[in-house]
Structures are given as structure tokens and as C-alpha cells.
Amino acid sequence: QVHLVESGGGLVQAGGSLRLSCAASGRTFSPYAMGWFRQAPDKERECVAAISWVGATYHADSVKGRFTISRDHAENTVLLQMNSLKHEDKAVYYCEARAGVAYSRRPNDFDYWGQGTQVTVSS
């Protein structure tokens, strides 16, 4: 079993920054790709950013230029640096992991996910 624990969420003013961190523990496997998803009330879960085992990245158009995903293999962590936050970024953010090299943008392609961390952006 792989455990993913997110941290770093909170309340921030519009235009501010947050850095989300996801730590993987337990029976971690390799290779594995990671992703950050978010879900706002009454909306479907969407992929914000994803990163492959070898470091290829994807960022949704809505966050491109503002958010950056990265990972540290030695620490089994994945980060999401969020800058210039907007009110519409408010959501619960989930870290997800899937076996394999390539990332995916579909939540159902992932094998493990964390409990989520709330991000709230005040105007």
C-alpha cells in the first residue's frame, strides 16, 4: 500500500503563493508518475499538473505560467508551486500516483491518492 500525504494548503489572498507538498510512503514502487488534481464544489476533479517518472511535465492551460510541478526522487515527494493565485483556484487539491513512467491527465488512471488539502483564495 502506498500512502500519499499532502500539505501546504491554506488561505491566501488573491495574487499570493502557496506551495503544496506530497510525500509518498509505504510500499512505494518505481517507476511511478505523479499528478496534482483539484476539485471544487459541484465540479468534476480536474488535472492541474502531472509529472512523469523522468520529469516530463504537464500543466493545465488554466494554471500554465502560474503553477509549477516538480518532484524529488530521493525524498519521494512531489511539489506544486502555486503563484499568482486566483479566486477560481479555490478547491481541494489531491496528490495522486500511478505505476509507470508516463503521466496521465485522467484521475481514473491513478492508483493512489491522498486525503486532499484545501486551498482557499480570498479576493
Side-chain angles (χ1 to χ4, degrees), residues 65-85:
R66 300 188 298 122
F67 292 9
T68 303
I69 189 171
S70 62
R71 68 185 299 169
D72 184 332
H73 285 296
E75 298 292 329
N76 284 330
T77 59
V78 62
L79 303 176
L80 184 67
Q81 179 65 44
M82 306 187 296
N83 299 327
S84 302
L85 282 160

Side-chain angles (χ1 to χ4, degrees), residues 2-81:
V2 175
H3 298 284
L4 302 175
V5 178
E6 303 99 335
S7 61
L11 173 65
V12 65
Q13 286 189 331
S17 298
L18 285 173
R19 188 176 75 166
L20 303 184
S21 178
C22 173
S25 63
R27 295 183 62 185
T28 53
F29 48 87
S30 64
Y32 62 95
M34 302 290 291
W36 283 100
F37 291 74
R38 68 185 179 188
Q39 189 164 19
D42 300 323
K43 290 190 176 181
E44 292 186 354
R45 188 172 296 196
E46 63 172 346
C47 183
V48 175
I51 187 166
S52 75
W53 175 252
V54 296
T57 61
Y58 161 82
H59 295 84
D61 287 343
S62 59
V63 306
K64 201 169 292 184
R66 300 188 298 122
F67 292 9
T68 303
I69 189 171
S70 62
R71 68 185 299 169
D72 184 332
H73 285 296
E75 298 292 329
N76 284 330
T77 59
V78 62
L79 303 176
L80 184 67
Q81 179 65 44

